[in-house]
Amino acid sequence: MSALLEVKNLKKYFDTPKGPLHAVDDVSFKINKGETLGLVGESGCGKSTTGRVVLRLIEPTAGQILFDNEDIMKHQKAQIRKFRENAQIVFQDPFASLNPRMSVSEIIAEPLIINKKSKDKQELQKKVDELMDIVGLAERLAHVYPHELDGGRRQRIGIARALALDPQFIVHDEPVSALDVSIQAQILNLLDELQKERQLTYLFISHDLGVIKHVSNNIAVMYLGKIVEMSDYKSIFTDPKHPYTKALLSAIPVPDVDVKRERIILEGDVPSPISPPPGCRFYGRCYQRQDSCMGTDPKLTEISEGRFVACHKCN
């Protein structure tokens, strides 16, 4: 299966008074057409920045982004506009990402109007009605405003807006983290149905491993701007290799009170992304650290087919 998106050595540094903040530092991955890569990690590790940089909503510091075998880093303004028709984003906060002064139908219609995808008002309204139906929004909600709706319906508006231009690729930036559990399930099922029907490709960003397991074909675990482990979802959950991945998995609640799981408690604080430590960035919190971890930064290495780990002990 061919890759729709391939990211190579992606970096994004933000200038601060204390020096460059290493938000994304030498990240590489690829996503096959019709599949989902789940990107998981603690808050502040660079997940959302990665998603925005991939879409060039934020300009990268360095690296290469190949979309359908085209290097979008070389695209000019007109080419980027065309690329954005094929690559969309659903944001974390379904209220903050919607214009409060626009009705549901106006929000969904906006990308169609900007990109001149309708010949007249009748065709535009027909497309809006179809999109509302696809995402499960009742016709009676067409002229209401975001503040009149609950979080689940607001997120459905964001999904409909992302689908308006019939994209191939969508970045989902924690799309269910602000929703109740029952509503989360509805939205996740909707995203799954849309992916199957339209052969969509997803980059799904979340801190919730339960959600990531449900939606992903492959999973990349991120720590302080770097991917430390990447594999298919079954291998990650049944045989994690990196100490950080093991610690994350040990924190998942077990519904059966009779089942005991060893809880790995990480000591210390996450290092500053402005001055990351030399060597392995997880060294100070790692319960399996060794002397070699302190001096050399471990590279993301393929230890078996499709399994990548950045750890001196695992390599």
Side-chain angles (χ1 to χ4, degrees):
M1 189 176 290
S2 60
L4 178 66
L5 177 74
E6 187 170 2
V7 174
K8 298 180 179 179
N9 308 114
L10 188 65
K11 296 181 180 182
K12 178 57 186 178
Y13 299 163
F14 293 98
D15 292 330
T16 74
K18 295 182 179 180
L21 187 151
H22 299 234
V24 180
D25 206 352
D26 200 23
V27 164
S28 299
F29 59 82
K30 66 179 181 179
I31 313 176
N32 292 329
K33 291 181 180 179
E35 293 188 354
T36 300
L37 175 68
L39 187 59
V40 65
E42 295 172 281
S43 296
C45 71
K47 307 185 301 296
S48 294
T49 302
T50 299
R52 285 165 169 74
V53 171
V54 162
L55 296 178
R56 281 190 66 181
L57 298 177
I58 301 173
E59 287 300 317
T61 302
Q64 191 175 27
I65 305 168
L66 300 175
F67 184 82
D68 208 8
N69 295 319
E70 291 187 9
D71 188 353
I72 68 165
M73 293 292 293
K74 298 178 181 178
H75 283 2
Q76 301 302 313
K77 188 174 181 179
Q79 294 171 301
I80 284 292
R81 184 165 181 162
K82 186 66 178 175
F83 161 69
R84 295 243 170 87
E85 292 184 25
N86 276 323
Q88 292 288 312
I89 185 169
V90 175
F91 294 98
Q92 176 178 358
D93 188 337
F95 188 64
S97 62
L98 303 176
N99 189 333
R101 298 187 177 185
M102 297 175 71
S103 67
V104 171
S105 61
E106 289 172 334
I107 291 170
I108 297 173
E110 186 176 28
L112 296 167
I113 295 170
I114 291 172
N115 291 277
K116 300 177 181 178
K117 295 296 182 180
S118 299
K119 298 176 183 177
D120 50 43
K121 289 185 177 180
Q122 289 75 22
E123 184 181 357
L124 176 65
Q125 191 58 52
K126 182 181 178 181
K127 288 183 177 180
V128 171
D129 292 342
E130 288 174 353
L131 287 164
M132 288 182 64
D133 183 59
I134 287 169
V135 300
L137 287 169
E139 187 178 345
R140 62 184 171 79
L141 301 176
H143 301 295
V144 305
Y145 290 83
H147 73 271
E148 300 177 83
L149 300 173
D150 58 49
R153 289 190 177 94
R154 290 173 192 158
Q155 198 59 290
R156 289 176 190 271
I157 299 169
I159 294 169
R161 179 176 60 184
L163 293 173
L165 300 178
D166 197 23
Q168 294 177 274
F169 174 64
I170 301 178
V171 173
H172 293 283
D173 186 9
E174 305 226 29
V176 297
S177 65
L179 307 178
D180 294 338
V181 175
S182 60
I183 306 299
Q184 284 186 13
Q186 294 175 19
I187 297 298
L188 291 175
N189 288 335
L190 171 63
L191 296 179
D192 185 52
E193 290 170 9
L194 291 171
Q195 184 174 42
K196 290 174 180 176
E197 290 171 3
R198 296 170 172 249
Q199 284 298 296
L200 294 169
T201 304
Y202 292 158
L203 172 61
F204 198 101
I205 298 165
S206 180
H207 65 274
D208 189 330
L209 279 162
V211 170
I212 287 289
K213 182 180 181 181
H214 179 76
V215 302
S216 305
N217 298 98
N218 297 291
I219 296 173
V221 181
M222 199 167 187
Y223 183 80
L224 203 64
K226 287 182 173 288
I227 291 176
V228 297
E229 184 166 0
M230 185 163 55
S231 182
D232 64 279
Y233 80 95
K234 288 183 180 178
S235 298
I236 289 285
F237 278 85
T238 59
D239 185 28
K241 298 297 185 185
H242 197 280
Y244 179 63
T245 309
K246 293 177 182 178
L248 286 180
L249 292 173
S250 78
I252 300 176
V254 180
D256 189 344
V257 294
D258 295 324
V259 175
K260 302 297 181 183
R261 174 187 285 167
E262 181 185 358
R263 180 74 169 91
I264 300 172
I265 306 295
L266 297 179
E267 298 177 355
D269 297 322
V270 179
S272 169
I274 295 176
S275 54
C280 178
R281 295 186 179 184
F282 189 57
Y283 174 82
R285 305 175 73 197
C286 184
Y287 55 93
Q288 294 181 329
R289 59 179 175 261
Q290 51 194 24
D291 292 343
S292 60
C293 303
M294 203 170 177
T296 309
D297 187 13
K299 301 298 181 184
L300 193 65
T301 305
E302 188 170 19
I303 60 171
S304 61
E305 186 176 359
R307 295 216 68 177
F308 298 83
V309 184
C311 177
H312 290 302
K313 190 169 184 179
C314 300
N315 297 341

